[in-house]
């Protein structure tokens, strides 16, 4: 990999001459970067070959289906393991991370001067009140819509409307146990801007309050069923089984850290980025690993990523991950990222380059998680469970990434992304920082759609 921005030309004619080298230097050819990226894409898939065969998958599906239909203990374990407080804590952590990630981007445009006051952002140990949170959010959104109607009609927004927006927003965060102090979004005078209020509405709607309990329970239930299929669980029952399953569930909560450093994004560019966004790209971060269940079937180790959903008809469309475009570009080979960014800033994208990046994103979303992680386990098997009817889909990552690429949906698609920030600036570093800021805002939603057939 090479540092992003080392080098991206402002003018296409210079790129055509020198690729990602500077003017006068030996050209750095796109084909070399493409070949290096394709090589590692193939190597990652090759690492899965022959690990999980059809015999193991058939046995895994059979055991999961049997436990779903005959073992009521699975749901009891899931419900007891995922007590309300634990579910709320995970929700708070996930929503807090979402706010830290999203607020700078949605409020970071010109004319919208709202920042996240992290010093007031403390996760409360008290039990939160979801019912009240829903009420205050509805009140805040109603007041925002009132203000929007006034903006549209050319009427002044009343002070009491702004007060209602501010107070109900504060109470929304307090009822979720995410606020300590007066507020976490400031300055208050910024709320009088139409675009700011529209952005605030988007922030309020980030929290899926209505779906939290059931979706979280379904996820843990799926992990219980897969862990219960392990060889070591076959002769256990009662309290022994419950204890063993609860211990095994810790796999699905394992997180690994990752970070960007000076070799990936230059320090002067990072300094400008931080000054303008308030975000430190060099900060160490962590996220949950892809392996939800590490089990053994017929003496063969299986590292499974597990999704549990209510299907639509005979299919499950599993949301695998929202991939950071910046992180995945940083993790590409040689000068691949700078070639790809250059092409997408000149409006001349390359189908082969787009395909190679799409392949890496599929692998990341399905098996590895963020590719900058150094010690994360990698999922070699994907399991989807119909929580209503007990139908099971289990497939090897090798087969999915080799023969099932058509079942992935990336939104936005890689070939549709336009990098429109490669423009003249007061310095080269500022221009590169502007490019990175625009890339940082792009997240690729990755879904995998599969048919669920009875075993």
């Amino acid at each position: 990999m090479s540092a992003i921005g080392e080098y991206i030309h402002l003018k296409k004619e210079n790129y055509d001459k020198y690729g990602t080298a500077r003017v006068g230097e030996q050209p750095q050819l796109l084909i070399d970067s493409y070949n290096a990226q394709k090589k590692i894409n193939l190597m990652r898939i090759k690492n899965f070959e022959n690990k999980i065969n059809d015999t193991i998958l058939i046995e895994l599906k059979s055991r999961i289906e049997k436990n779903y239909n005959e073992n009521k203990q699975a749901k009891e374990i899931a419900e007891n393991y995922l007590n309300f407080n634990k579910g709320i804590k995970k929700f708070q952590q996930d929503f807090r991370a979402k706010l830290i990630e999203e607020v700078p981007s949605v409020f970071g445009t010109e004319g919208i001067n709202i920042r996240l006051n992290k010093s007031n952002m403390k996760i409360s140990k008290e039990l939160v009140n979801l019912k009240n949170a829903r009420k205050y959010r509805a009140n805040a959104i109603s007041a925002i819509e009132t203000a929007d109607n006034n903006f549209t009609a050319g009427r002044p927004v009343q002070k009491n409307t702004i007060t209602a927006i501010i107070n109900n927003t504060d109470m929304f965060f307090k009822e979720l146990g995410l606020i300590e102090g007066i507020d976490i979004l400031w300055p208050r005078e910024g709320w009088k801007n139409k675009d700011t209020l529209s952005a605030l509405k988007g922030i309020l709607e980030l929290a899926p309050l209505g779906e939290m309990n059931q979706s979280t329970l379904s996820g843990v239930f799926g992990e219980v069923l897969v862990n219960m299929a392990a060889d070591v669980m076959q002769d256990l029952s009662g309290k022994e089984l419950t204890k063993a399953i609860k211990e095994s569930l810790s796999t699905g909560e394992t997180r690994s850290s990752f970070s960007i450093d000076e070799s990936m994004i230059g320090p002067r560019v990072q300094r400008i980025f931080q000054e303008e966004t308030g975000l430190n790209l060099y900060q160490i971060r962590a996220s949950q690993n892809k392996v939800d269940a590490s089990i053994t079937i017929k003496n063969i180790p299986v590292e499974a990523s597990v999704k549990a959903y209510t299907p639509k008809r005979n299919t499950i469309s599993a949301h695998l991950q929202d991939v950071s475009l910046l992180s995945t570009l940083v993790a590409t080979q040689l000068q691949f990222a700078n070639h790809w960014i250059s092409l997408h800033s000149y409006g001349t994208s390359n189908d082969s380059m787009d395909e190679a990046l799409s392949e890496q994103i599929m692998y990341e979303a399905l098996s590895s998680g963020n590719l900058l992680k150094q010690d994360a386990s990698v999922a070699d098997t994907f399991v989807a469970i119909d929580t209503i009817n007990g139908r099971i889909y289990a497939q090897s990552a090798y087969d999915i990434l080799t023969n099932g690429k058509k079942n992935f949906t990336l939104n936005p698609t890689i070939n549709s992304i336009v990098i429109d920030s490669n423009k003249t600036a007061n310095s080269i570093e500022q221009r590169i920082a502007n490019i990175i800021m625009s890339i940082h805002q792009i997240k690729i939603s990755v879904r995998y759609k599969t048919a669920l057939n009875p075993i």
Side-chain angles (χ1 to χ4, degrees):
M1 65 181 71
S2 298
I4 289 186
E6 296 294 329
Y7 185 69
I8 297 170
H9 289 280
L10 173 64
K11 296 181 179 179
K12 183 178 181 297
E13 52 263 37
N14 285 333
Y15 172 77
D16 291 339
K17 289 181 182 178
Y18 301 101
T20 58
R22 294 177 184 270
V23 174
E25 295 178 348
Q26 183 70 23
Q28 298 176 347
L29 301 179
L30 178 148
I31 189 62
D32 294 335
S33 295
Y34 169 75
N35 286 338
Q37 186 60 40
K38 285 294 289 186
K39 182 178 179 180
I40 197 168
N41 287 354
L42 292 171
M43 182 192 74
R44 288 166 177 158
I45 297 174
K46 185 77 173 175
N47 287 339
F48 291 138
E49 191 174 13
N50 300 323
K51 287 191 71 175
I52 307 297
N53 59 40
D54 288 346
T55 300
I56 298 303
L57 292 172
I58 291 169
E59 180 67 19
L60 174 61
K61 289 194 289 185
S62 176
R63 291 182 185 182
I64 295 173
E65 183 188 45
K66 184 175 186 294
N67 286 326
Y68 179 94
N69 291 323
E70 300 177 11
N71 198 328
K72 295 181 180 179
Q73 197 171 355
K75 285 190 177 180
E76 293 174 0
I77 292 172
E79 289 169 353
N80 292 333
Y81 182 80
L82 189 70
N83 58 66
F84 189 66
N85 283 326
K86 187 181 181 74
I88 288 293
K89 182 179 179 182
K90 184 179 185 305
F91 169 79
Q92 288 175 312
Q93 291 170 338
D94 290 348
F95 187 43
R96 183 181 189 277
K98 236 179 203 182
L99 288 170
I100 291 172
E101 181 72 23
E102 297 289 342
V103 169
S105 60
V106 298
F107 288 140
T109 56
E110 185 177 353
I112 304 179
N113 187 26
I114 301 298
R115 292 184 179 274
L116 194 65
N117 187 355
K118 295 181 186 177
S119 63
N120 278 352
M121 207 170 180
K122 305 289 175 63
I123 292 180
S124 171
K125 294 181 181 179
E126 301 293 327
L127 188 66
V128 305
N129 191 318
L130 291 179
K131 181 178 180 181
N132 284 346
R134 292 189 189 98
K135 178 184 72 174
Y136 287 120
R137 178 169 67 178
N139 291 345
I141 290 175
S142 177
I144 289 171
E145 290 172 348
T146 297
D148 189 58
N149 290 336
N150 287 333
F151 281 125
T152 302
R155 298 189 299 266
V157 178
Q158 299 299 311
K159 183 178 180 180
N160 61 349
T161 301
I162 296 296
T163 300
I165 293 170
I166 293 170
N167 291 343
N168 281 288
T169 297
D170 285 347
M171 290 305 300
F172 167 71
F173 287 118
K174 284 181 179 178
E175 294 294 342
L176 290 180
L178 289 170
I179 186 171
E180 182 174 279
I182 300 175
D183 56 15
I184 61 175
L185 298 173
W186 58 278
R188 290 174 181 267
E189 57 265 29
W191 299 132
K192 298 178 184 178
N193 177 292
K194 175 181 172 66
D195 292 334
T196 297
L197 293 178
S198 176
L200 174 63
K201 183 179 179 182
I203 291 295
L204 291 171
E205 292 173 341
L206 277 176
L209 300 183
E211 303 171 3
M212 186 196 64
N213 291 333
Q214 186 55 50
S215 64
T216 307
L217 177 59
S218 294
V220 175
F221 177 50
E223 291 178 24
V224 170
L225 286 172
V226 175
N227 278 290
M228 196 175 279
D231 290 348
V232 296
M233 303 293 180
Q234 298 310 294
D235 296 325
L236 300 180
S237 61
K239 291 182 179 180
E240 284 187 344
L241 179 61
T242 298
K243 181 181 178 182
I245 292 294
K246 286 184 176 180
E247 289 174 354
S248 67
L249 285 172
S250 61
T251 298
E253 297 181 350
T254 304
R255 298 166 68 85
S256 295
S257 61
F258 58 93
S259 63
I260 291 173
D261 60 34
E262 293 183 6
S263 69
M264 303 170 187
I265 293 176
R268 286 186 291 181
V269 172
Q270 145 63 19
R271 177 179 54 77
I272 295 171
F273 181 97
Q274 186 169 5
E275 287 174 353
E276 299 201 10
T277 66
L279 297 174
N280 179 8
L281 288 173
Y282 293 165
Q283 181 180 354
I284 297 175
R285 294 171 173 83
S287 63
Q288 195 164 314
N289 292 341
K290 282 294 172 181
V291 176
D292 297 307
S294 183
I295 61 177
T296 300
I297 302 291
K298 289 185 172 293
N299 299 318
I300 300 297
V302 175
E303 305 294 331
S305 173
V306 184
K307 297 291 182 182
Y309 288 105
T310 301
K312 290 184 178 179
R313 297 185 178 88
N314 195 42
T315 61
I316 277 182
S317 180
H319 177 257
L320 301 179
Q321 185 177 325
D322 289 329
V323 172
S324 163
L325 179 59
L326 180 61
S327 290
T328 202
L329 283 172
V330 167
T332 53
Q333 301 301 296
L334 298 180
Q335 284 284 335
F336 184 97
N338 290 323
H339 280 294
W340 187 90
I341 294 167
S342 298
L343 292 168
H344 281 255
S345 70
Y346 309 135
T348 55
S349 63
N350 178 291
D351 289 344
S352 296
M353 294 287 282
D354 289 341
E355 180 185 14
L357 185 58
S358 296
E359 288 172 348
Q360 172 166 292
I361 289 172
M362 292 173 193
Y363 169 82
E364 179 177 346
L366 178 72
S367 292
S368 73
N370 192 298
L371 287 161
L372 299 179
K373 293 179 179 180
Q374 299 299 312
D375 58 351
S377 53
V378 176
D380 56 32
T381 304
F382 177 69
V383 179
I385 300 173
D386 169 0
T387 59
I388 302 301
N389 304 301
R391 292 174 296 178
I392 313 300
Y393 172 90
Q395 192 55 270
S396 69
Y398 177 82
D399 189 67
I400 290 173
L401 294 170
T402 303
N403 303 313
K405 289 190 288 186
K406 64 182 182 300
N407 295 331
F408 284 89
T409 301
L410 275 58
N411 185 25
T413 56
I414 300 306
N415 62 3
S416 71
I417 296 173
V418 176
I419 309 298
D420 58 4
S421 48
N422 187 10
K423 299 174 181 177
T424 303
N426 56 19
S427 69
I428 292 174
E429 291 79 12
Q430 180 68 63
R431 178 170 64 86
I432 302 303
N434 291 342
I435 292 171
I436 292 175
M437 279 187 272
S438 66
I439 293 173
H440 182 266
Q441 295 180 24
I442 299 174
K443 302 293 183 292
I444 313 296
S445 174
V446 184
R447 304 190 75 88
Y448 184 74
K449 188 175 182 180
T450 179
L452 282 168
N453 296 313
I455 298 173

